[in-house]
Amino acid sequence: MSDAEKTKLRVDKWLWHARFFKSRSLAAQVVSAGHLRINGNHASKPSANVTAGDVLTFPQANRVRVVKIAALGERRGPAPEAQTLYEDLSPPEDKGPKNPAFEGSGRPTKKDRRNLDLLRRESLE
């Protein structure tokens, strides 16, 4: 195997090594469905090669991940080892609006509860 072949790895294999997907076949399904971009270009085959420095964009769960490949893994190791394979460029996850809560100490009184209900009714109108 030449040096050029050693510095490349299949994208489905790398996604599996980096622990983004539980199995290599799940990673291959995402790539085959056309949901993965390598450096901004759509990848349609799981056999597409990636190298260190490439930027991958793909959906995972309910968010879009953007990662820069830092290294190519030789095996699927433990999670701390897998996290050294990439640099996460994804925007921070938005937790959504915070639920209104009682800001006093202890359990709210009846009066506090009525005020909360009144505020909720006014916000719906």
Side-chain angles (χ1 to χ4, degrees):
M1 199 183 254
S2 68
D3 289 339
E5 291 174 3
K6 287 182 183 177
T7 60
K8 294 181 181 180
L9 188 66
R10 288 175 57 116
V11 69
D12 62 336
K13 210 172 198 181
W14 187 86
L15 288 168
W16 178 64
H17 282 179
R19 293 187 166 264
F20 286 109
F21 297 98
K22 283 186 174 185
S23 69
R24 190 169 156 193
S25 62
L26 287 175
Q29 285 176 1
V30 169
V31 178
S32 297
H35 299 303
L36 177 87
R37 291 182 183 203
I38 302 173
N39 296 327
N41 301 320
H42 283 282
S44 59
K45 294 185 178 182
S47 62
N49 289 325
V50 292
T51 59
D54 287 346
V55 177
L56 304 180
T57 307
F58 58 94
Q60 186 183 32
N62 294 331
R63 58 188 284 211
V64 175
R65 300 293 301 258
V66 180
V67 295
K68 183 176 181 181
I69 298 175
L72 302 177
E74 296 197 14
R75 67 185 185 109
R76 180 178 164 95
E81 181 181 317
Q83 290 169 350
T84 62
L85 298 178
Y86 63 91
E87 177 185 342
D88 196 2
L89 304 176
S90 301
E93 190 174 336
D94 185 23
K95 301 280 183 172
K98 189 175 179 181
N99 291 336
F102 178 69
E103 294 165 359
S105 61
R107 186 175 173 151
T109 62
K110 275 188 175 182
K111 184 178 180 182
D112 294 328
R113 177 64 186 191
R114 279 188 235 116
N115 289 338
L116 279 172
D117 288 340
L118 183 64
L119 287 173
R120 286 186 185 137
R121 255 187 265 121
E122 288 176 355
S123 67
L124 293 176
E125 293 173 354

